[in-house]
Each structure stands twice: as structure tokens, then as C-alpha cells.
Amino acid sequence: MPWPMPIAPATDRRLAALSIGPAAARALPGGDTTLRVHSSFANSVNIAVEGSELLVLLCHARGAGYPHSLVLPEESDFSTRPFRAGSTGLLRGGELLFGGPDHGVRIGLERARRRPRRMLPLPVPWSGVHARCAQHLARFQGQIGAELRIEALLDGTHSPGAEAAELHAAAHELALWLRSELAVSCSSSSPLGAQTGSFVPWKAVASLVGRGPGLTPSGDDFLCGWLAALRCGAGSADGAPAPGPAEALSRATAQSLDATTDISASLLRCAMQGFWPEPLADLAAALADEREFEAIRALDELCRFGHSSGADIATGFLFGLATQADRGGAAPCP
């Protein structure tokens, strides 16, 4: 049943969107489309789009790094009536329309900068820059008391609490699975992306999805980073993962999305479709060129996402790269 159409406002407020992320552009098609406010917060609003599984994030410049963001001017007020959860809207003629005659808002898209999809290069998996990024991340995680810890995964110098132990155990299961995929690839003298091993890590993924606090649980954020690590130097221009571990992990993740929040499921779908946060793409590019200053700066920017969300994404990414240190093109097979 379609959502009810909004009343076109007679006197309304018009905003000009500043930029639109690649996942948001994918979610907002041409033609008339019904919208619904999924959830509303002080600084952002999540919009469900009829026919799309991706939520669009209305936000100010601070959220511009998300691939599904639609950035509005700073004076935009998300506490007004049109943006209350459950309110409906309409995409028509390059505008998002919300509200009725007294509290209408129009958001124009025609001048918005279209941010491009970022393909991830293949970094050197365990360079000196990579190691220093891991050390930098470990210090940050210690300061905020994060549940997931990069040092616990890489060298066991941190002992997680009982609640976080299952997350770390599932992360190690993923590492064992990926190493088995690498072994298959090396033994057959074929590229990693050309093969899929004998099993898919359903159990490890199920132990991560939806686990941890927050609207985007730590396990989900870790998986976003891990998917990014598998997609470095692989995939296609349209974002589809190459056959192999990335595709297998995407299938497993898709089967577990009901276990998490709608907001987090949308972010995982972004990762499965090859849409990345800008700081994560910047981090991958800096690691590929071994530019330490730029890598640390991108890592810091990523860690500003949420309380620990960005740090959890970085943990999955850096641990995923370390796990595939023998990936073809970065180092020879043993």
C-alpha cells in the first residue's frame, strides 16, 4: 500500500541541498516517488524512499562523509513538524516536498554537488604506515573505552570484557575464513577475486550483526570496515563485488540484516554495494601511497563518526587488511 501523498504547500520554505552522496543519489530515482520520515534527531533525519532499501540521511555538513547523506545548509531545522517520524513527503521534479500548507519545506536538488562513488585502491596490507595507523587507533579506542579493540585482534595485548569477547571471537573467525580463502587462491595460482572457497562465514557474521550498543552496533560497523578491506583493488565500476570472499561475505551479511536496526542495515547495504564513507576512502588511498600524515588525518576524521562507530569501521578495515597480508599484488603467496 503506498504511503499517503503530502499536501503541496502553498507558502513554504525552500532549501537548496549542498551535496548528495553516491548512495543517496542511487536511492532517489527520477519521477514521482513517495518518501517517509523513518527517524528524526536533533541534527539529522533518515528518509525512507519508496522502492529503495537504502535510507537517505538529511544532515548538515558534519554528516557529509556518509555515502547516503543529503547535506543541507546549517540553518536547516530538523525539529520542525515536517520531519517528525512517520511524516510523509514526495520527490517530484528535482525537489523533496514535506509538510502541509502551514509548515511546508521544499528541498531543491538541482544545485547539489554530486559526490562520486569512490573505488578503493589496494594498500600495502602491513606497511609501516598501516602499523602506525593501528597504533593511533588503539590509543583512541583506549581513550573512549571502545568495546572492539584493534590491539586485541592484532596482538592480544588487550583483554576484552565478557560482552565484547564474542565480537572479538567472531572477528577472529572471519580472519580464519579469509586465510583459508587465501590459501585456496595461492595453491591454485589464481587471483583471490577469481575463487570462492568451500564455505561462507554464516556463523561469524550472525555473531556480529546487531551486536553492540548504538543505532549502528559495533559488530555492524566492524563488518562495514571488513567488507571495505575485501573490496580494496577489487569490484567493478558499478560497485558489484568480484566473485570471491567479498561476494561471499556480502551474501552472508544480507541473510542477517533482520537482526539489526534499519539505520544500521542501510549502512551495511551501502558497504555491500560499494558505497563508503569519505574518510574511509581517503584512508585507503593514503595507505596505498604510504602517505602517513594523510592516513592519520583520514583515520581521525573517520573516528569522529559517532561515539565509536568510525573507530569500529577502522578496526574492521585495518584488521581486514592485516589478515590478507599475503593477497596477490601486495605480497607473494607463501
Side-chain angles (χ1 to χ4, degrees):
M1 179 177 180
W3 297 318
M5 293 293 156
I7 301 172
T11 57
D12 56 14
R13 184 183 183 199
R14 194 174 194 280
L15 302 171
L18 303 179
S19 69
I20 181 169
R26 167 76 65 87
L28 294 170
D32 291 1
T33 305
T34 308
L35 311 172
R36 177 174 55 83
V37 177
H38 173 275
S39 49
S40 181
F41 305 95
N43 298 312
S44 63
V45 174
N46 288 291
I47 303 296
V49 182
E50 186 177 25
S52 175
E53 293 182 314
L54 301 179
L55 297 177
V56 173
L57 178 70
L58 302 186
C59 61
H60 298 140
R62 186 176 180 183
Y66 287 104
H68 64 307
S69 65
L70 180 62
V71 180
L72 302 183
E74 292 295 329
E75 64 268 19
S76 308
D77 185 2
F78 297 120
S79 65
T80 57
R81 184 186 301 174
F83 296 127
R84 290 178 182 172
S87 300
T88 57
L90 180 67
L91 172 63
R92 173 184 288 168
E95 289 185 323
L96 277 64
L97 313 175
F98 291 95
D102 298 326
H103 298 86
V105 174
R106 293 172 179 255
I107 301 171
L109 305 181
E110 67 277 3
R111 296 185 180 180
R113 180 174 68 88
R114 304 280 171 151
R115 304 198 307 276
R117 179 197 290 272
R118 299 280 299 275
M119 302 295 289
L120 301 182
L122 178 60
V124 178
W126 195 244
S127 66
V129 176
H130 185 189
R132 285 187 285 279
C133 282
Q135 293 165 0
H136 188 78
L137 176 60
R139 287 192 293 271
F140 176 80
Q141 290 176 320
Q143 292 169 2
I144 67 171
E147 290 190 353
L148 270 172
R149 297 291 187 90
I150 186 68
E151 72 267 40
L153 295 173
L154 291 177
D155 56 28
T157 55
H158 171 79
S159 297
E163 199 166 308
E166 188 172 352
L167 293 176
H168 288 81
H172 280 298
E173 283 187 44
L174 280 183
L176 290 172
W177 163 74
L178 182 55
R179 290 185 183 112
S180 72
E181 296 287 294
L182 287 163
V184 169
S185 176
C186 288
S187 64
S188 64
S189 299
S190 299
L192 178 60
Q195 297 240 359
T196 300
S198 58
F199 68 97
V200 175
W202 307 105
K203 182 179 177 182
V205 169
S207 296
L208 287 167
V209 174
R211 302 303 297 269
L215 290 173
T216 59
S218 295
D220 297 357
D221 292 324
F222 176 89
L223 272 175
C224 285
W226 187 274
L227 278 163
L230 294 188
R231 294 285 289 273
C232 283
S236 61
D238 64 0
E247 183 185 47
L249 186 60
S250 293
R251 291 201 312 269
T253 302
Q255 294 296 317
S256 298
L257 290 179
D258 288 345
T260 193
T261 66
D262 292 342
I263 293 174
S264 196
S266 182
L267 288 172
L268 281 167
R269 288 189 178 100
C270 282
M272 291 156 57
Q273 295 176 27
F275 295 112
W276 316 110
E278 287 286 330
L280 178 60
D282 291 340
L283 175 59
L287 286 172
D289 295 335
E290 297 192 69
R291 292 178 282 116
E292 181 174 351
F293 177 81
E294 288 83 355
I296 295 295
R297 182 173 60 186
L299 177 59
D300 282 339
E301 187 177 347
L302 181 59
C303 287
R304 293 190 187 102
F305 283 25
H307 174 64
S308 68
S309 289
D312 294 333
I313 292 172
T315 298
F317 184 64
L318 294 178
F319 183 50
L321 290 179
T323 300
Q324 54 184 320
D326 294 321
R327 182 171 180 163
C333 291

